[in-house]
Amino acid sequence: MVLSKTASNTDVSIHSTFASRYVCNSLPRFQMPENSIPKEAAYQIINDELMLDGNPRLNLASFVTTWMEPECDKLIMDAINKNYVDMDEYPVTTELQNRCVNMIAHLFNAPLGEGEAAVGVGTVGSSEAIMLAGLAFKRRWQNKMKQLGKPYDKPNIVTGANVQVCWEKFARYFEVELKEVKLRDGYYVMDPEKAAEMVDENTICVAAILGSTLNGEFEDVKRLNDLLVEKNKQTGWDTPIHVDAASGGFIAPFLYPELEWDFRLPLVKSINVSGHKYGLVYAGIGWAIWRSKEDLPEELIFHINYLGADQPTFTLNFSKGSSQVIAQYYQLIRLGNEGYRNIMENCQENAMVLKEGLEKTGRFNIVSKDKGVPLVAFSLKDSSRHTEFEISEMLRRFGWIVPAYTMPADAQHVTVLRVVIREDFSRTLAERLVMDIEKVLHELDTLPARVTAKLTAAAVEVEENNHHVPMVKKTVIELQREITSTWRKFVAEKKRTNRVC
């Protein structure tokens, strides 16, 4: 859901040049029209407005899949009118979902016996999957505390400050304290040692991120597991781990099969993954997988029969389309291990092409790691004249959507640009992006340092008018922090959300 805001206060009507052969009068912008209009006119009016949207293929801010094969597109359209929740009416779709759950559970090394079914569910995305996993942890913890006769009204989750906003939503919506491990210069993921230190008896789980939104880095789940095993032995607690593998869940098994982050670790009780990211499906599908039935409390599962047969359900949403479930099954059987491995390797190679091209400019520090999600996060070595926000804004002239953002606490003075490498981002596009970034840098070099000049002038005026003392020359890092603060306010005013996808 997006909170509604009007885009224009001056023009309350919609006009369309091409649709004028069908519609002579303008249409109200924020109210339903009184009369019907021809279908051709409705299509043209909407199509004209959508032309102003960005090109999804050039939206390098997003992890979400923007291309699928025509055969899968056809399957999606054929199933567009099926309601996924009606399992009795669409039993084959339900069967395909169950097959996906089991395939993904095996991919994550779930300890399943011969013929044992995996425990999991398809969701609208990783946000819903995280809500469900968090509720399961909260309920298990509450049940345990009740049995021990202890208070159960102050649960908490330990995470890094780099977590995606859905974790903050879960904490606020379901009244769980979010205890965040702060970041630091050069280390932009959760420190497992600090996370283990923050765990207490009320911690329902520690959330580790396999593929940080900020720089694509994998957190050290193995180290976290070992630390918590030791702490649980000392305290008698049984603090578990949830792995948020929204971005990395379909990458690590194919690029880094030796990496232990999944159900091979005993404290990992649940994992979420986004099928619509590197699962290679259009937006609208995620997966929540549990280690075993014992990790999903039975009282959270609802049984309904008014759609036909008895149907167990554990979702926040009810009605939703079947298309993305079918598309996920298509990708899993179409590509197999070989296909996913080839695609992920190709994405990683294109990320290296982009990284090397940026390094050759001599103007950027690379913030992302070679081992992780195939993306390149980078920042200016010298931002005293111009900032990453200016680069991001000027790249839009070439059609590129490249986000610029500041790191969370305590690294908020660091500003980063990030390019996500998806399947449809080719080597040619990577080389073209480097060329366009070089053009932007050249153009910025010929312009006055607008932000820096304004900040310096403002600082001088404040010092002279208010303090009547000589201005103390600021260090480079102090100046950079002031510039970053100014741009954060500017961006917040232009676009009310400062989150990245």
Side-chain angles (χ1 to χ4, degrees), residues 182-188 406-415:
K182 304 301 182 185
L183 309 185
R184 62 179 186 269
D185 280 344
Y187 196 89
Y188 304 119
T406 54
M407 290 291 190
D410 285 328
Q412 58 265 46
H413 60 280
V414 178
T415 306

Side-chain angles (χ1 to χ4, degrees), residues 75 78-101 287 320-327 329:
L75 285 171
D78 289 345
I80 201 74
N81 59 350
K82 289 184 180 180
N83 189 354
Y84 165 83
V85 76
D86 197 345
M87 302 177 188
D88 187 58
E89 185 69 23
Y90 307 117
V92 176
T93 299
T94 301
E95 169 65 16
L96 297 187
Q97 185 231 216
N98 293 338
R99 293 179 192 176
C100 289
V101 166
W287 302 94
K320 60 181 176 182
S322 298
S323 296
Q324 268 66 19
V325 171
I326 294 169
Y329 183 67

Side-chain angles (χ1 to χ4, degrees), residues 14-15 17 20 38 62 90 121 151 216 224 241 301 327 381 385 407 477 487 489 493:
I14 299 175
H15 307 271
T17 302
S20 61
S62 178
Y90 307 117
V121 65
L224 177 64
I241 296 173
I301 300 173
K381 290 182 177 179
R385 283 180 51 80
M407 290 291 190
I477 192 66
W487 270 99
K489 293 177 182 177
E493 290 173 1

Side-chain angles (χ1 to χ4, degrees), residues 218 251-259 261 264 348 370-372:
F218 292 164
I251 294 171
F254 305 109
L255 290 184
Y256 317 107
E258 75 289 344
L259 182 66
W261 62 273
R264 285 171 287 183
Q348 194 71 355
D370 291 347
K371 189 173 184 178

Side-chain angles (χ1 to χ4, degrees), residues 222-234:
K222 176 67 165 61
R223 177 62 178 157
L224 177 64
N225 178 86
D226 294 345
L227 290 169
L228 289 180
V229 166
E230 187 61 32
K231 186 160 189 172
N232 287 343
K233 287 181 181 178
Q234 295 174 358

Side-chain angles (χ1 to χ4, degrees), residues 38 52 67 89 91 107 214 234 266 319 326 354-355 412 455 458:
L52 299 177
W67 179 87
E89 185 69 23
L107 188 67
L214 301 177
Q234 295 174 358
S319 294
I326 294 169
L354 178 59
K355 174 191 171 186
Q412 58 265 46
L455 282 173

Side-chain angles (χ1 to χ4, degrees), residues 66-82:
T66 53
W67 179 87
M68 297 187 76
E69 291 174 320
E71 291 79 6
C72 194
D73 287 347
K74 187 175 186 307
L75 285 171
I76 288 173
M77 293 310 300
D78 289 345
I80 201 74
N81 59 350
K82 289 184 180 180

Side-chain angles (χ1 to χ4, degrees), residues 1-5:
M1 179 189 74
V2 178
L3 296 180
S4 175
K5 291 182 65 177

